[in-house]
Structure formats: structure tokens, C-alpha cells
Amino acid sequence: NIFAQIVIGFIALYILVMAFLAGFYMEKIISEIFVGRNTIEIFIGFIFYYFLADFLFRIQLQELPTLSIVPYLHLNISRKKIISFLNIRGLFSVFNIAPLFIFLPFISTKIGTTYGSLVMWMMIVILVSLIVLNNYLVLYLKRKLFSNFFFLLIGVGVVAGLAALDYFDIISLSALANSVFQEIVKSPFVGFGFALMALAIFMINTKYLRENLYVEEISTKAKNKTNTDYLFLNRFGKVGELCVLEFKLVFRHKRPRSAMLIGILFLLYGFVFYQPENLDKDKFEIMIFAAIFMTGSSIINYGQYMFAWQSSHFDGLLANKISYKDFIKAKFLFFTITCTIISLLAALYSFMSWKILLVTVAAYLFNMGFGAVIVLWFATKNYKRVDLTKGTYLNWQGSSALQFLMGIPLLLIPSAIYFPFELMGNPYLGLLTLGLFGLVTLLMRNFWVNQLTKLFIKKRYKIAEGFRE
């Protein structure tokens, strides 16, 4: 445990140093990416989007410091002191420290030298206020409500939509943020409004803790029952019921939920690979790589542990009266729903160019047809148990060389299909062939279901034996 803490400490230190260097060279980075643009205006807009994304990530990743007060609840310690301890404990988070390393260097150098020390200090006050505001707002919402995966999915879509509107100058939220900044330049003390908002949410959070200072009240484990009946899946019968259980497993456990979250983060690949020079020159071989990972993120990231997610109750599944064919079909149905939703989000990049839509559709068909089959085939070879309660950070439980081998066909086969057409100067025909390959394998789904069911029946006892270790 001590060695693990030392390793984590070094990794955290490395991340903070990288964050500081990014902040120190931010002016140079902005000027190189946004040539000819005002670096301060870009910086202010970036802060706005950073804290929007920060709020979404906190909802899924920030832990409630509940267990830290359990040893003190039965002792003769006043509620006021326990609440103060809980509030202070909540501030010690990487979410609160990282923004200081990223933004303070630019604020103290560029903004300080351009607008003076008063505006600089007010920007620091605003930065700290936004950190505190996000910190206690998320803690309050997670105590009062619950951590909902669909909330995150909708939130990512909203942020991506706002960024797209900003990119195409339809609705410029960056301009709105900069207009607020100009007001602060004219009247610096206006910035204390952010501090008042942070103080307000701090007081609301404190009041809630004072009234509900019991473990069962402040823990998210005893929250209101959420509606986990998905009526649209009822028409699939037993397959739909098993698919509902798959969704419940994701929503209720940390490790699979984190895997899906990381899969959604793959959507950011588009900003890296969908560059104008690649689109103008029809360099689809580069964009296909990103599209495969974006549209198939749920299949790749979640599906690699597909049977291992049930490792804690796998023996019960074998003992119950469940059709193995329905069990496999439910996995495919889960892939179909999640892959379709994420692909629709990835299709938002099509506003940049209609060519991206072609790449996205081809990658979607490939993942739905071939990708889902190959991932489930590798899943039958994985005999390592997975603990659902633990996160994915520095957690290699359940991982093996199979996860790396699985990536080989998912990367090489699309390239092998497309690249000959690229050499012949017919990139669009290459995309069409890739899409048709995926469509053909998708239409053969019943065949794949039968083959995977036979393989699962053959391997089920070996899988169960591995999960018991």
C-alpha cells in the first residue's frame, strides 16, 4: 500500500508539473493554434469551457468524503466541527489543484502585465471562486440527488453542441465570457459576484450537512430509487430484460460506469484528427482511425470485459434458467443502443464537413457488424475477475494481453480494406467498401450469435473457474 501511494504521488506530481508547464507556455500554445487571434480572448473562452467540462467530470469522478467522518459521529464532537472538517476535506482534490497550475501562470504574466495588478488579482479571485463553486455544487448535487450516467451523456452533448455553435460563430459563448471580462476590466470589483455565488453554494451545502449529518443521509448508497425500467426494451422480451440488467450494472457500479465515461471521452479525438488539411486532401486513412475509436468506444472499452462484469455473480447466471442465446443477444442489443447513441454524438462533427459523415457511417457499420463480434469473441477468452466497486484509475484488474491483441484486428482490418483503394486514388470507394463490409457482417448477426453461443457454452465452466480465483 505504501509503495502504491508513492507511485500515485509521483504520477500526481508529474501531472501537476505538466499542468504548470502547459500554463506557463499557454500564451505560445494559443498563438500557434489560433494564429492572429487575441490570446487573452481565447484564454477567457477556454476558462468558460474548462469549468463546464470540469463540472461534468466531477459529477462522475469526484468522491464524496463521507467515510472520513464516520469514526467521529459517535464521539463527543460538535456538529459544527465535523461539518467544517468535511467541508475542508472536500477541497483536497486534484480537480481543485489542477486549475491553479494551468491558469495562474497566464493570469500572472499576460493579464497582469496587460491590465494591471488589480485586474490580475480579481481574475485570481474569480478562478478560486469557480473552483469552489464547482466543488461544493457537485458535492451538494451528489448528496441531494444521484450520479446519473444519462446526465453526463446529455451534458457532454450540450457542451459539444455549445462548442460547435461557438466554432461556427452561430452563438458565441466565448464572446459572452469576454464581455464579462471586459466589465471586470472596467470595474474590477464586479468579479466579487463570482465569490458571492461560491459563498452561497458553500452555505447551502453546509446547511444541508447540518440537517442531515448521518451516514445513511449523506452517502449516495442509500439514495432515492431511480427509474431503471426501460419500456422501449420490453418488446425484445427476455433479451430486453437481460439488456436492462446490463444498463443497471453500468449505472450502479463504479468500474463499468468509468469504462463508459472514458469511452465517451474518445469523442474528443475528432478535434485532433478532423483537421481541414486532412479533409481537403481526403486523407480518410487518418480519420478512419479516429472514427473507429469514437463510434465503437462503448464496444471497445466496455466490451473487452463483457463477461467479466458479471464475474461476481457468474455462477448464479449459469445456475439460473437463462437461455445462453438470449444472453449473447442481449450483449449485442446493448452494443447496438450504446454504439448508436455515441455515433450520433460523433456525427455532430459533420457540421464541419459532409465528408466526416461518410467516415462516421462507415466506421459505425464496421463496429456494429465486425467490431461487436470480434470483441465478444475475445471476451470468451478472458477468465480474469473484475471488481465492480473500484475505478479504472491505475486499476489493471481483469486486464491481460488479450486486450492488446483485440486491438489488432480492429485497427488492421479497416486499414487493409480501405488502403488499396487509397493507393488506386479512389478513397470514397474505399469508404463504401468498408461500410459494406460492416453492413454484410451486421446482416449475418444471427449466424454470429449462434457461433458465439456455441463457443460460450464450451467455455462457460472455464470462465466461471477463472472468475472464482
Side-chain angles (χ1 to χ4, degrees):
N1 289 336
I2 294 174
F3 177 75
Q5 292 297 323
I6 292 173
V7 172
I8 293 172
F10 275 113
I11 292 174
L13 180 62
Y14 173 78
I15 292 172
L16 292 177
V17 170
M18 291 299 102
F20 176 77
L21 291 176
F24 191 78
Y25 291 103
M26 184 167 290
E27 182 179 0
K28 183 178 180 181
I29 295 171
I30 292 175
S31 61
E32 289 182 356
I33 296 176
F34 301 92
V35 180
R37 300 281 296 275
N38 187 307
T39 55
I40 294 180
E41 289 183 1
I42 299 296
F43 175 79
I44 297 299
F46 176 67
I47 287 181
F48 176 82
Y49 283 107
Y50 175 89
F51 280 102
L52 272 180
D54 176 71
F55 177 79
L56 295 175
F57 292 150
R58 284 174 185 263
I59 285 288
Q60 288 297 315
L61 301 177
Q62 184 170 346
E63 297 290 340
L64 289 173
T66 303
L67 296 178
S68 60
I69 67 165
V70 173
Y72 308 106
L73 289 178
H74 68 288
L75 300 178
N76 186 20
I77 301 175
S78 66
R79 286 182 170 229
K80 184 177 180 180
K81 288 183 178 180
I82 293 178
I83 291 172
S84 297
F85 171 73
L86 197 58
N87 281 332
I88 294 172
R89 182 69 178 266
L91 290 173
F92 290 92
S93 167
V94 69
F95 290 106
N96 299 327
I97 300 173
L100 298 175
F101 282 80
I102 296 172
F103 298 121
L104 279 182
F106 188 91
I107 292 174
S108 59
T109 54
K110 184 65 177 179
I111 294 180
T113 55
T114 305
Y115 295 103
S117 59
L118 183 58
V119 175
M120 179 193 74
W121 282 109
M122 189 50 61
M123 284 299 299
I124 294 175
V125 170
I126 293 172
L127 176 64
V128 174
S129 300
L130 289 173
I131 293 171
V132 173
L133 177 66
N134 268 8
N135 181 77
Y136 290 110
L137 179 60
V138 168
L139 291 179
Y140 176 75
L141 290 176
K142 293 188 79 167
R143 286 165 177 150
K144 189 73 175 175
L145 303 173
F146 49 83
S147 177
N148 194 305
F149 179 75
F150 275 124
F151 175 80
L152 175 71
L153 195 64
I154 294 170
V156 170
V158 170
V159 172
L162 292 174
L165 292 173
D166 202 342
Y167 181 84
F168 293 105
D169 294 326
I170 299 174
I171 299 176
S172 181
L173 297 176
S174 298
L176 177 63
N178 276 281
S179 64
V180 173
F181 174 71
Q182 292 303 322
E183 289 297 322
I184 294 170
V185 172
K186 296 175 184 176
S187 305
F189 295 105
V190 172
F192 281 118
F194 291 90
L196 291 176
M197 287 191 293
L199 179 62
I201 192 61
F202 173 80
M203 297 302 295
I204 292 172
N205 191 68
T206 301
K207 181 176 181 294
Y208 178 80
L209 286 175
R210 191 183 302 116
E211 295 173 352
N212 301 274
L213 196 61
Y214 307 98
V215 174
E216 63 271 19
E217 294 291 338
I218 58 180
S219 174
T220 56
K221 293 182 180 178
K223 286 299 166 190
N224 298 329
K225 183 181 183 297
T226 59
N227 183 16
T228 50
D229 295 325
Y230 309 100
L231 298 179
F232 70 97
L233 291 174
N234 287 346
R235 69 186 189 91
F236 294 100
K238 286 291 183 181
V239 175
E241 292 179 15
L242 292 170
C243 187
V244 168
L245 293 177
E246 200 77 46
F247 277 106
K248 288 181 179 181
L249 185 145
V250 173
F251 299 147
R252 293 177 178 179
H253 298 93
K254 187 174 182 180
R255 179 84 182 269
R257 190 167 63 241
S258 298
M260 292 296 290
L261 170 63
I262 293 173
I264 292 174
L265 293 180
F266 283 176
L267 289 172
L268 298 177
Y269 275 2
F271 291 110
V272 178
F273 291 95
Y274 294 158
Q275 297 295 325
E277 57 269 22
N278 295 334
L279 292 167
D280 295 338
K281 298 178 181 179
D282 293 340
K283 291 184 177 180
F284 295 136
E285 71 277 7
I286 298 175
M287 293 185 284
I288 287 173
F289 170 82
I292 291 293
F293 274 93
M294 285 192 292
T295 59
S297 59
S298 63
I299 295 176
I300 298 169
N301 211 46
Y302 181 84
Q304 61 182 312
Y305 304 109
M306 186 47 100
F307 301 124
W309 297 127
Q310 282 102 6
S311 56
S312 60
H313 55 274
F314 192 79
D315 286 339
L317 289 175
L318 298 183
N320 277 298
K321 191 178 180 180
I322 296 175
S323 167
Y324 295 136
K325 188 173 182 178
D326 288 343
F327 184 62
I328 299 297
K329 281 185 176 180
K331 305 298 184 183
F332 275 111
L333 180 59
F334 177 82
F335 283 157
T336 300
I337 296 171
T338 55
C339 185
T340 301
I341 293 173
I342 294 176
S343 296
L344 289 174
L345 292 175
L348 293 174
Y349 285 110
S350 302
F351 287 107
M352 298 169 60
S353 173
W354 59 271
K355 298 177 183 179
I356 296 177
L357 182 61
L358 299 180
V359 177
T360 302
V361 172
Y364 169 72
L365 292 173
F366 175 82
N367 281 314
M368 287 289 293
F370 179 79
V373 173
I374 201 69
V375 167
L376 282 177
W377 185 84
F378 273 97
T380 61
K381 310 294 182 182
N382 185 16
Y383 313 133
K384 293 192 174 183
R385 183 184 182 91
V386 169
D387 187 348
L388 299 177
T389 62
K390 296 181 180 179
T392 56
Y393 180 66
L394 290 180
N395 187 358
W396 300 100
Q397 186 188 40
S399 299
S400 66
L402 284 172
Q403 278 73 40
F404 299 99
L405 292 174
M406 184 186 69
I408 295 175
L410 292 176
L411 291 177
L412 292 184
I413 291 180
S415 300
I417 294 173
Y418 170 81
F419 198 65
F421 296 95
E422 171 75 17
L423 293 177
M424 292 186 293
N426 292 308
Y428 293 98
L429 186 57
L431 285 180
L432 178 62
T433 305
L434 179 62
L436 288 175
F437 173 79
L439 181 60
V440 170
T441 51
L442 179 59
L443 294 174
M444 295 173 60
R445 175 161 289 185
N446 286 333
F447 170 78
W448 301 123
V449 167
N450 292 331
Q451 296 303 312
L452 287 169
T453 301
K454 293 177 183 177
L455 181 61
F456 179 78
I457 292 173
K458 181 180 179 181
K459 296 282 188 179
R460 67 188 188 276
Y461 294 119
K462 191 171 183 179
I463 295 173
E465 183 182 353
F467 288 165
R468 295 188 197 107
E469 295 179 0

